[in-house]
Structure formats: structure tokens, C-alpha cells
Amino acid sequence: LLGGQTIINMVHPGRGIFGSDFGTTTFVIWKKRIQNYKGSYRRLFDEQGEVKSNEVRENALLSGKGKYAAQQDNFSKIPGSPVAYWVSQSFISTFEKGISIDTISLYTGSQNITADNERYLRYIWEVDRCLAGKNKKWVFYIKGGLFRKWYGNIELFVNWSPEAQEFYKTNSTSNLLAPQYRFKEGITYTELTSGTNSFRYLPPIAVFDKKGPCIVDVINTLYCLAFFNTCVAVEYFKLLNPTITLQVKDVKNTPIIFEENAISKVEQIAQECIKYCK
């Protein structure tokens, strides 16, 4: 991070400066690395990211609001080394104590792509159920969908005939999901969201699209599902990727800490949530 340079201080006004919707910062960098140096940071927007007037932000700066001090060396402990001056030391330490979902599951960034959804996808009420199911022409297809936690958004079929699979495999803009990820129990979520991400239980009946990534063969599936649906996980996602697209690498970089004494209780609660959402 920043090579041999040191962030001396930074003012973080947020979005809306100069009429732009992009986030902005003003900073001073010294072209020398100072070990254990604590930089001074100012955060001039609230947690909701609401756009404030320049006058409001100026008053916040002058009144001393939003003060933080952070060691630059800590940023490198977080995957991607974001300038996360606002997070606590205990929060940063979870990246050292926790494990990645990738180490206890099968999780791919190479999902299925039909390249022609109008031709190959159907809503479940459009298909004769005699033709649907594993080893038949049509199979359930997970493709993200609207915000919904715990269970749901299983509303599409994809053409899974040998001819269709050959097209996904050979067409230059398609992709055929690898066999080890098909029809497995796991966790799915919606990649694109304008707000909070939502994770759902995945029954072993489907294949999945790039807009609805799935994590399969997960150890302690319901515990991991419950964690990803917490407000704590949301803070990690905002830190690792503050955009509207939650990428596979961001989920993989989110640390999970297993509390052995709590696993049974957490999974019981998750099971109840799935039942209610069904």
C-alpha cells in the first residue's frame, strides 16, 4: 500500500462534491514511510452516505466532527488494503482470526452464462413439469432476483438439454457451469443490489447464473448463511466493496469466525427463518 509513502492526513467529504455522485477525498502524503505513524482522518458524511450540502460539510469540518486516527500499517491486514481509517482494531483483527468461506466450500467465479436468455430461460409456470427436473430438459436456474433473505427467488428454468449445454460450452460468449457445482445444497445471493445484500438457502435442485452466484458443499451451511445475513457481514461488504456489485472475491475475503458453543443455536434459528420464508 502506497509503497514507501505515508498518509499524513485525509479529509473524506463523501459523494456530491463538484456536482458529482462519486466519492472524493483530499489528502496529504509524505514521500517517506514512517513506521507506526498514526494519520489524522476526517469523515464528513453519515453512515447512510446521504449527500450533504457543501456548507453542512464545511461546518462539520470546522466543528471537529468525524475525527479518526489510524495506522497505515493496519490497512494491509485487510484484503485489497482499503484505506479503512474508520474501523476499529478489533474489527481489523478478525481478518487474522477468521477463515474464508472458500476454505470450507466449493465456490466459483465461473458461473453459467447462456448468452441468450430469451431463448434458453423460462419462468417455472411456463414449463410442463413433466419436462422439468434433474436429468430432464429443464432444470431450476438461480439468477439472483429481488432482495429476499433466507429462501426464495427460485422462479426460473434453464434449458439443460445436451444441445443447450453444448451451446453454453462452445459459444464464445457463453459459459457452461462445471459439473462439481451443479445440483448441490448451499448458499446463494444476488450479486447486484442497490442496498443490503441478501443470502438464501439453496436446495440441491439447481444450476446457477453469474447474477446469482452459489456457494455449495459448505461445512456448517446454516451457520454461514446466518452470518452472511447479519448486519456485521454488511459492514465487511461495505468495506471490501462499496459498489452495488458484490463480487465473489469480496465474499471470499469476508472472515468467518466459528463460535463452537453457538453453532447449534445459530443453525436452529437459521432453519426457522428458512421455514418462515418458504
Side-chain angles (χ1 to χ4, degrees):
L1 177 68
L2 297 172
Q5 304 175 87
T6 302
I7 300 175
I8 302 301
N9 53 45
M10 175 183 289
V11 176
H12 192 184
R15 299 185 296 119
I17 300 295
F18 309 123
S20 169
D21 195 43
F22 294 102
T24 56
T25 63
T26 302
F27 51 87
V28 174
I29 289 180
W30 190 12
K31 291 188 176 181
K32 181 179 179 181
R33 189 60 177 269
I34 307 174
Q35 295 295 329
N36 302 320
Y37 178 81
K38 276 194 173 183
S40 175
Y41 299 83
R42 299 293 297 278
R43 190 178 178 97
L44 305 183
F45 57 93
D46 56 27
E47 289 299 320
Q48 287 69 42
E50 181 181 350
V51 175
K52 305 290 186 180
S53 69
N54 291 342
E55 182 180 4
V56 169
R57 280 184 276 212
E58 181 180 5
N59 290 336
L61 177 66
L62 296 177
S63 65
K65 292 182 179 179
K67 286 186 176 181
Y68 295 86
Q71 286 191 13
Q72 181 175 310
D73 294 338
N74 284 334
F75 301 157
S76 61
K77 298 176 182 178
I78 305 172
S81 300
V83 183
Y85 60 85
W86 64 92
V87 300
S88 67
Q89 183 62 47
S90 60
F91 189 94
I92 293 174
S93 69
T94 61
F95 286 96
E96 299 173 310
K97 294 187 293 185
I99 65 170
S100 168
I101 188 71
D102 192 35
T103 65
I104 54 172
S105 69
L106 291 177
Y107 191 11
T108 179
S110 182
Q111 303 93 357
N112 204 75
I113 303 173
T114 71
D116 191 347
N117 287 345
E118 185 174 348
R119 177 183 178 187
Y120 290 110
L121 297 192
R122 295 290 183 272
Y123 284 106
I124 57 176
W125 55 82
E126 297 181 288
V127 173
D128 185 336
R129 284 302 181 96
C130 293
L131 302 175
K134 188 176 179 182
N135 300 322
K136 295 185 179 180
K137 179 178 180 179
W138 299 94
V139 300
F140 284 106
Y141 199 55
I142 306 299
K143 196 174 171 60
L146 299 176
F147 177 87
R148 185 174 177 84
K149 286 185 175 182
W150 304 109
Y151 192 86
N153 292 353
I154 304 174
E155 57 187 12
L156 292 170
F157 282 134
V158 65
N159 188 327
W160 208 244
S161 65
E163 296 78 13
Q165 291 189 53
E166 184 63 22
F167 177 81
Y168 309 149
K169 182 178 180 180
T170 59
N171 180 56
S172 60
T173 57
S174 301
N175 187 68
L176 179 63
L177 182 69
Q180 64 266 35
Y181 303 105
R182 304 173 189 173
F183 310 109
K184 296 287 188 71
E185 181 186 49
I187 300 168
T188 184
Y189 62 96
T190 302
E191 178 197 54
L192 187 66
T193 176
S194 58
T196 303
N197 293 92
S198 53
F199 289 73
R200 295 172 292 277
Y201 172 73
L202 173 71
I205 59 173
V207 294
F208 52 92
D209 180 88
K210 64 178 181 178
K211 296 299 181 184
C214 296
I215 312 164
V216 300
D217 284 350
V218 187
I219 297 175
N220 295 116
T221 300
L222 297 184
Y223 184 93
C224 294
L225 173 62
F227 166 71
F228 285 133
N229 273 333
T230 63
C231 57
V232 176
V234 170
E235 294 304 314
Y236 286 109
F237 299 148
K238 290 194 296 187
L239 172 64
L240 295 168
N241 186 357
T243 71
I244 62 174
T245 301
L246 183 64
Q247 300 181 31
V248 168
K249 67 178 180 64
D250 304 320
V251 180
K252 287 184 177 182
N253 285 334
T254 302
I256 301 175
I257 297 175
F258 281 93
E259 296 287 351
E260 295 297 331
N261 295 333
I263 291 176
S264 177
K265 180 61 175 178
V266 169
E267 293 197 336
Q268 178 186 347
I269 294 171
Q271 187 66 63
E272 291 175 357
C273 291
I274 293 169
K275 180 181 68 174
Y276 295 144
C277 284
K278 278 186 179 182

